[in-house]
Amino acid sequence: MSETMKAYIEEAERDLLHTYNRYPVVLDRGEGVYLYDTDGKKYLDFVSGIAVFALGYGNREYNDALKAQIDKVIHTSNYYYNVPAVEAARKLKKVSGMDRVFFTNSGAEAVEGALKAARKYAYRKDGSTDHEIIAMNHSFHGRTFGALSVTGNAKYREAFEPMIGHVRFAELNEIDSVREQLTDRTCAIILETVQGEGGLRPAEEGFLRWLREICDERDILLILDEIQCGMGRTGYYYAWQKYGVKPDIMTTAKALGCGVPVGAFLMTEKTAGNSLEAGDHGTTYGGNPLACAAVEKVLDLFEKDHIIENVRKVGPYLEKSLEELKERHHGITERRGTGLMQGLVFDRPVREIIDRAMERGLILINAGPQIIRFVPPLVITKENVDEMISILDACLESGEPSRE
Ligand SMILES: *Cc1c(COP(=O)(O)O)cnc(C)c1O
């Protein structure tokens, strides 16, 4: 590592709040599925900024669209209409099949909005303020208080208690466990269609169908958090579309703007008409013209560049390649996930493996201490998968615990 890079890292450690154990690299620029550090070293990227940069780096059309919008106007506030927001909302409705959109600046804010909408929906029915939300263990919904309150990982929540309250946790894919938490106060059930941070676990079709039925029966809102698994990652624009189990409220972010901070929560017309009203919710930046120009262009490029088709082609290949890798290395106990959202579960902490991969020019990320997560740009090719596997193979061979 050069002295220059070392100096940047030291300064960052002095100046930035220490809330991350960062990997010792200063990333400088990107090209396609490769990133370069400030020393010019090249890395194959299987993280895409945590499932964000779906289109690959340096996409000319995307960059030009942003530059053009910057020259027009970046921000106007939500008290006026703007064309990119109208265009982005129309396109997002089309790919999601949802009816109404509220743009946010992040995933966590999309979850906050969804939770507020659910409480308001129940409040408008009976005027009471003791409604409950059911969330899943091992879920992840973000770091703000509302989102944290429905995140099923006590370690993230503990020091910040009390949470918003009236949240009950159940087990993903266990109908009885949800049934035990249901009361006449339940106003919403929130889950990730495919759990990300919590371990790359997809919700099963039967479980989703049962949730939809119970929600319809009791007029409870089904909230699907598609922030990580949405935007094509599973081979569908939104993962629930595979089963046709449509939520009442859906959250999206991460790849939605491909790096420009933007998220959204979307609702069906019925939910929208019976929940948030004028004055109930707002944001200064949310859905500003720059962010919406990004969303608009990302959705155009998804169609034009056949992104979903690519995921359907390369996703199964990645899955198969990871299964084969698992057979070759006894430390890998399980493969999980779907499409280009995959995880390998190890019998030991994976930080060291990820460090070694970085030395060999491969960027990977964990999901919890013992899982390596694979969330590459959605433009990844089979050749890129082969390249990743051969680097990872070498890392695992050099790090295999010796059997004396
Ligand atoms: C990343 C993530 C969030 C939080 O999004 P931020 O943009 O980091 O606030 C929420 N839900 C899921 C499923 C996520 O993966």
Side-chain angles (χ1 to χ4, degrees), residues 50 105-109 111 140-143 192 194 196-197 225-229 251 253-254 373:
I50 314 194
N105 307 292
S106 67
E109 283 171 85
V111 173
F140 181 85
H141 297 290
R143 303 296 199 143
E192 300 155 86
V194 182
E197 299 290 325
D225 182 344
E226 290 261 351
I227 289 169
Q228 189 161 161
C229 63
T251 57
K254 289 201 164 86
R373 168 169 33 169

Side-chain angles (χ1 to χ4, degrees), residues 241-257:
Q241 290 167 338
K242 180 172 182 185
Y243 306 119
V245 177
K246 188 176 174 178
D248 301 293
I249 307 179
M250 180 191 95
T251 57
T252 178
K254 289 201 164 86
L256 181 64

